[in-house]
Amino acid sequence: MSKIRRFYLNHLKRKMFNKIILLYSAVMMVLFVTAAVLVYQYQLQRIIREETDANMKTAQVLSIYLNRQYENIQNTIQQIYGDATLSDDLVYFLNNPYENYLGYRLNQFTKTNEQRLRSYSTLVKNYMEQEPGAKRVSIYSYPRKFGMSFEREKEKQQLQYESDSDGSWNNWLMTRRAYTWDTVGNSPEADTTEKSSSIPMYSYRRELQDPWTLDRIGMLVVDFDSKQLASWLSSRVPATHGQMLVMTSQGKVLYDSTGEYVGQDYPYRYELNTAGKWIDLDEPSKINVLDTGNAGLTVIGVVSKSTIEASTGSLRNTLILITLLFFVASFVLTSTVMRKYSKKIRRIIVSMSRIGEGDLSTRIQMPGEDELQQISQRFNDMCERLEQYIDKMYTSEIKQKHAELVALQSQINPHFLYNTLESIRMKAYSEGARDVGKMVYSLSVMFKGMVKKDTVITIKEEIEMCSIYLDLLQIRYEGRIEVAIEVEPAVNGCSIIKLLVQPIVENYMVHGFRSLDEDNRVRISALREGERIIITVQDNGNGIPAERMQEIDKMLSGSYQLSSNLMEKSNPSIGLINVHDRIRMNYGEEYGLSVSSEPGKGTEVRMEIPMLKEGIL
């Protein structure tokens, strides 16, 4: 425990990069191992699927072979029963002594005068020529208790008589009737040489009946060579995947590619219903079960777990080796990179220590463009600014005092102007020029409102400034202008940006006012529509020409940047564009001005702003 603690104190506690390397290595190990496991599982499932599919293909090929053998036998028997000459020949052979059968054959030859008579023996030999897997065909007579065997290798037929007791013969008959398929060695004529033969064989039995009386008169036995089956299978499927078995309906194994269960009852026949899953045979295995149709046989394909593991052994070792190589390469690469950054951090720490000791001339030279280089650059900038601050601290204080004095002076100048305007107003009253005094008073009130620092005022205050401006104009033009102001009480206390309405009124006075006429009218209204405030300035002035109206609409529909480029001193609509852009900048694109005009009949400017409480923009 003390060694672990010592290792932690020396290499991890105060070394951030070592912690990062350790954490990174742990994470990468987990990732590499997880990736390797996932790849192995994927490949394992692929191999299992391929082995199982290949095993099923082998089973299908084997099933086709067995079906063909069964169909060839059935076709031969059908030829016997379908041809009266052949059936009579076979019936006579089974019901009479062999010497009498030879006489019967001679008589038939004499009667028909044919050089080649059709007989059951000729049919059997033709069958053996067509079926390479048939090693021997035997026909047994129930009444006469003898048999005739046709063997491929000896190329001859052999007549054998039963020498045992009737009980042995009857037992063999009962067994053969119960089992259509069986292994060779359970026939009455089998000798010790065949029983000890190393070549496995299996046989098919079929009872023969008299087509006229339907009595059972004999049995046909065909012995098949398992070696021929294996040879045919290897020619179709060069690589046999797993174990292949052929089992009768009673569970006896006729063929086993491993030779383990031949002639025995298959011990796991009741577990075959779980095909496709892992089942416990001699070891966990995957199985494929395929019935051969009318033949009454079952082909079983077994893919054991050991077979699959043998296929995945090299894959597992390769994945382990690759995982270790990746981990080592990742660890070495990470350590190299971290060591490089660790040196940079150490250089920054040393420089900061010098600054702490008072050496403000310290600078960090850091190559690259990463975060550490940016920290070094900021560190150098900080040192430079710190030096400049120390050098210019007194000069900055003097400038600050001077700025304070200038600010105080700027506060005195507007106050002086207000006092001067008030003196002029009083002088005008004393001289009897009351209109001049009223105009000076209105101008003073407007100036006070305009120089206030507040940029957001109430609608009531904005409308009052417009009213004062119009009062000045009414005095100037001696009643030639009629003013109407309508403000809904609900919007009086709502907020508005200062100087939005007054420039619109001023624009009318500059461009639309008819100074020679007596019926000039201007109407200002502020009403609520839902959550919006609609302010309308309507006049009966000169109006705006159609071409100029198109230009104004284009400017009002443009963005703020586009409108600001059009705001030149020579532009007669600078007031409208200024107001429109300020509204959109502060309230959003869905608010602003809209202008409608008809030459000679006047202009209406409609302003839409959101309804906001006082003090909220």
Side-chain angles (χ1 to χ4, degrees):
M1 190 68 181
S2 59
K3 293 182 179 180
I4 297 177
R5 180 175 177 80
R6 191 181 303 112
F7 176 82
Y8 173 76
L9 295 176
N10 295 336
H11 301 283
L12 294 177
K13 184 176 182 180
R14 294 184 178 181
K15 296 185 178 181
M16 177 186 66
F17 287 103
N18 288 352
K19 293 179 182 179
I20 293 175
I21 293 174
L22 182 62
L23 179 61
Y24 177 81
S25 300
V27 172
M28 294 308 295
M29 175 58 77
V30 172
L31 290 178
F32 286 147
V33 171
T34 302
V37 170
L38 292 176
V39 171
Y40 177 76
Q41 290 296 327
Y42 172 78
Q43 293 296 330
L44 177 62
Q45 294 301 320
R46 182 184 63 82
I47 291 174
I48 291 175
R49 185 170 59 253
E50 290 179 354
E51 290 287 337
T52 305
D53 291 346
N55 183 265
M56 173 58 79
K57 180 179 178 181
T58 305
Q60 291 173 346
V61 171
L62 187 56
S63 176
I64 292 172
Y65 179 82
L66 295 172
N67 270 321
R68 193 191 68 182
Q69 285 188 334
Y70 177 78
E71 290 173 358
N72 288 340
I73 295 174
Q74 299 304 316
N75 290 336
T76 301
I77 296 175
Q78 290 298 327
Q79 290 181 36
I80 293 174
Y81 286 117
D83 191 325
T85 302
L86 292 177
S87 61
D88 291 343
D89 183 77
L90 180 61
V91 169
Y92 194 91
F93 168 75
L94 294 176
N95 287 319
N96 297 277
Y98 187 68
E99 293 81 2
N100 295 346
Y101 171 71
L102 293 177
Y104 170 78
R105 290 282 298 163
L106 184 59
N107 292 333
Q108 291 295 320
F109 178 77
T110 303
K111 291 179 181 180
T112 59
N113 195 21
E114 294 181 1
Q115 295 181 354
R116 184 178 182 85
L117 288 175
R118 287 181 296 169
S119 65
Y120 80 92
S121 59
T122 304
L123 183 64
V124 169
K125 291 177 181 179
N126 291 337
Y127 163 76
M128 295 184 69
E129 291 178 359
Q130 297 174 3
E131 178 56 62
K135 184 177 181 181
R136 178 174 57 216
V137 177
S138 302
I139 299 178
Y140 299 100
S141 172
Y142 290 171
R144 311 305 302 176
K145 297 182 181 180
F146 71 88
M148 178 67 74
S149 298
F150 301 87
E151 298 188 17
R152 177 185 299 278
E153 295 179 357
K154 297 179 181 180
E155 296 182 356
K156 66 178 182 178
Q157 59 189 44
Q158 182 178 2
L159 185 65
Q160 296 178 346
Y161 290 91
E162 172 58 33
S163 59
D164 294 338
S165 64
D166 291 342
S168 176
W169 175 267
N170 293 332
N171 290 335
W172 180 84
L173 287 179
M174 292 178 61
T175 303
R176 292 308 92 205
R177 290 170 181 172
Y179 301 102
T180 303
W181 293 89
D182 202 352
T183 54
V184 174
N186 294 321
S187 58
E189 82 286 355
D191 54 24
T192 56
T193 303
E194 291 174 340
K195 292 181 180 179
S196 61
S197 176
S198 60
I199 301 176
M201 296 176 61
Y202 59 96
S203 63
Y204 172 77
R205 275 83 173 188
R206 168 71 181 269
E207 283 192 310
L208 302 174
Q209 294 176 310
D210 188 333
W212 306 107
T213 63
L214 299 181
D215 292 334
R216 297 176 181 178
I217 58 175
M219 177 178 290
L220 173 69
V221 179
V222 182
D223 296 331
F224 295 100
D225 188 357
S226 298
K227 184 178 180 181
Q228 181 66 29
L229 185 151
S231 176
W232 188 89
L233 187 62
S234 62
S235 65
R236 274 26 177 212
V237 185
T240 303
H241 297 265
Q243 181 184 13
M244 301 304 302
L245 301 99
V246 178
M247 186 178 70
T248 66
S249 58
Q250 292 78 25
K252 179 171 286 189
V253 177
L254 300 182
Y255 170 79
D256 184 354
S257 59
T258 63
E260 181 179 0
Y261 295 108
V262 175
Q264 304 177 24
D265 289 338
Y266 191 54
Y268 306 108
R269 57 177 175 171
Y270 298 109
E271 283 82 1
L272 300 181
N273 294 328
T274 57
K277 301 179 181 179
W278 288 103
I279 60 175
D280 292 328
L281 303 180
D282 294 334
E283 60 178 305
S285 305
K286 290 270 190 179
I287 62 172
N288 292 306
V289 179
L290 191 64
D291 293 330
T292 59
N294 297 328
L297 298 176
T298 302
V299 179
I300 305 168
V302 180
V303 181
S304 63
K305 192 173 185 179
S306 60
T307 303
I308 296 173
E309 290 177 349
S311 301
T312 59
S314 59
L315 173 65
R316 181 174 59 252
N317 296 334
T318 302
L319 286 176
I320 292 174
L321 179 60
I322 292 175
T323 301
L324 291 177
L325 289 177
F326 278 175
F327 176 72
V328 171
S330 175
F331 179 81
V332 172
L333 179 62
T334 304
S335 300
T336 303
V337 175
M338 287 300 176
R339 189 178 296 109
K340 176 182 177 181
Y341 285 103
S342 178
K343 291 180 180 179
K344 292 184 178 181
I345 291 293
R346 192 175 298 110
R347 187 185 304 173
I348 294 175
I349 293 175
V350 171
S351 299
M352 293 179 67
S353 299
R354 291 179 182 176
I355 292 292
E357 295 172 357
D359 185 6
L360 297 179
S361 63
T362 301
R363 298 293 184 271
I364 303 176
Q365 301 298 327
M366 187 70 67
E369 297 181 357
D370 53 16
E371 289 82 355
L372 295 180
Q373 193 276 337
Q374 295 178 15
I375 292 174
S376 302
Q377 184 63 38
R378 299 297 183 274
F379 178 85
N380 295 337
D381 294 343
M382 180 192 68
C383 292
E384 291 179 2
R385 287 196 299 269
L386 186 58
E387 284 186 313
Q388 292 175 2
Y389 174 76
I390 293 175
D391 293 339
K392 299 179 181 180
M393 181 176 59
Y394 296 108
T395 303
S396 299
E397 289 182 356
I398 292 174
K399 289 182 178 180
Q400 179 66 26
K401 295 295 183 181
H402 179 71
E404 291 177 357
L405 290 175
V406 172
L408 291 174
Q409 184 67 33
S410 64
Q411 293 178 3
I412 294 173
N413 289 338
H415 184 68
F416 170 76
L417 183 58
Y418 302 152
N419 291 338
T420 301
L421 289 174
E422 182 64 18
S423 299
I424 295 174
R425 186 178 73 87
M426 295 304 296
K427 180 66 175 175
Y429 270 105
S430 64
E431 295 293 334
R434 301 182 65 85
D435 290 343
V436 176
K438 187 175 180 181
M439 293 178 68
V440 170
Y441 175 75
S442 298
L443 180 62
S444 176
V445 172
M446 286 184 60
F447 183 72
K448 285 182 181 180
M450 294 175 66
V451 299
K452 282 184 179 180
K453 295 182 178 180
D454 298 336
T455 59
V456 179
I457 60 178
T458 63
I459 290 181
K460 181 179 179 181
E461 293 173 339
E462 177 72 8
I463 298 300
E464 286 179 352
M465 290 181 64
C466 291
S467 177
I468 294 172
Y469 175 70
L470 289 171
D471 287 343
L472 285 171
L473 296 176
Q474 283 181 318
I475 295 173
R476 175 183 175 184
Y477 293 107
E478 297 178 351
R480 280 180 289 173
I481 180 172
E482 179 180 345
V483 177
I485 297 176
E486 178 185 359
V487 180
E488 188 175 336
V491 303
N492 273 326
C494 295
S495 299
I496 189 174
I497 302 172
K498 185 168 64 176
L499 293 178
L500 288 185
V501 181
Q502 190 269 340
I504 298 175
V505 177
E506 182 180 355
N507 192 72
Y508 157 67
M509 295 303 302
V510 174
H511 302 290
F513 181 70
R514 295 176 281 110
S515 58
L516 301 178
D517 296 338
E518 300 291 335
D519 60 344
N520 292 285
R521 293 188 302 274
V522 60
R523 181 176 181 274
I524 302 174
S525 65
L527 305 175
R528 174 181 179 181
E529 287 187 5
E531 295 300 323
R532 296 191 177 202
I533 296 176
I534 308 301
I535 300 176
T536 305
V537 178
Q538 186 177 10
D539 64 72
N540 63 341
N542 294 325
I544 303 174
E547 295 180 359
R548 182 58 186 162
M549 190 65 211
Q550 292 179 358
E551 294 180 5
I552 294 175
D553 290 339
K554 183 176 181 181
M555 288 187 290
L556 292 178
S557 62
S559 62
Y560 169 70
Q561 289 80 0
L562 178 62
S563 298
S564 62
N565 294 333
L566 296 171
M567 291 170 60
E568 302 174 358
K569 290 183 179 180
S570 60
N571 193 335
S573 301
I574 183 174
L576 295 178
I577 304 305
N578 181 286
V579 171
H580 180 70
D581 286 343
R582 286 165 60 205
I583 292 174
R584 298 181 70 180
M585 287 173 59
N586 288 275
Y587 297 125
E589 298 292 330
E590 65 271 24
Y591 302 101
L593 296 183
S594 61
V595 180
S596 60
S597 178
E598 187 175 352
K601 294 185 179 181
T603 303
E604 178 179 319
V605 179
R606 177 184 173 92
M607 178 191 304
E608 293 189 25
I609 61 174
M611 186 172 182
L612 302 174
K613 295 182 179 179
E614 182 180 0
I616 300 177
L617 181 56

